[in-house]
Amino acid sequence: MSKREFKLTGWHVLGCLVLFFGAVIGVDTVFTVMAVRSHPGETSATAYEDGLAYNRTLEQHAAQAALGWTATAAAVEPGVVTVRVRDADGRPLTALKLTGTLRRPATDAGSHEVVFQRDGDGGYRGEAPKVKGAWDLTFVARDAHGHVFQAERRLLWP
């Protein structure tokens, strides 16, 4: 039996091109679908409105910086938070209304609202359910003149 010699024809070249580009397009399609399903790219449903409101946010930050207030927060015992707010001269501000929220750093599940009461030490004490581990405290302090101070602190409970 004699062996036939292979000849490369136009059909062979066409078949190779179709297989090559078909494989590339198929793999690209699979990766694109996986990427869109895992993260669609939308971080806010109201991105345009958020952008318009950003100037107000910058104004609020500038007004807060002009106050010169500083704040510290501490996790003193399980479920108890203390906050101290001081004016630009370092004096404690004792006539504020403070509200806050404790949230887990990695998730919004299990957040707790915290209402603060003045303590006898020139600070504010708030209680939350018995919490353990790392929590982010976001609090807002308001005085009688309408000044607003917002801050966020990471707290750790054993």
Side-chain angles (χ1 to χ4, degrees):
M1 202 183 230
S2 70
K3 216 176 186 186
R4 284 189 344 167
E5 193 175 308
F6 176 76
K7 281 188 164 182
L8 184 64
T9 65
W11 289 110
H12 291 119
V13 173
L14 177 64
C16 289
L17 282 173
V18 168
L19 285 175
F20 173 76
F21 284 108
V24 169
I25 291 170
V27 169
D28 286 348
T29 302
V30 168
F31 284 151
T32 301
V33 168
M34 288 172 53
V36 169
R37 283 186 182 163
S38 65
H39 184 69
E42 182 179 86
T43 57
S44 172
T46 59
Y48 180 73
E49 291 81 5
D50 295 346
L52 292 177
Y54 188 65
N55 284 340
R56 265 182 275 136
T57 302
L58 292 177
E59 290 170 4
Q60 289 172 347
H61 285 283
Q64 180 171 316
L67 288 174
W69 294 2
T70 58
T72 58
V76 292
E77 58 189 70
V80 177
V81 179
T82 59
V83 173
R84 304 216 183 297
V85 183
R86 301 190 178 275
D87 66 10
D89 297 324
R91 293 184 304 256
L93 294 166
T94 57
L96 301 175
K97 180 179 180 190
L98 261 75
T99 57
T101 305
L102 281 170
R103 287 189 181 92
R104 286 286 193 186
T107 180
D108 287 333
S111 65
H112 303 286
E113 296 299 318
V114 181
V115 178
F116 292 90
Q117 304 295 328
R118 277 185 247 160
D119 65 14
D121 243 358
Y124 301 86
R125 177 184 174 99
E127 295 188 21
K130 304 291 185 203
V131 292
K132 290 184 178 182
W135 291 79
D136 287 337
L137 170 67
T138 304
F139 63 93
V140 177
R142 291 179 169 82
D143 70 0
H145 303 292
H147 298 119
V148 177
F149 180 83
Q150 297 179 349
E152 184 173 318
R153 302 290 186 266
R154 171 83 37 102
L155 302 175
L156 296 172
W157 280 277

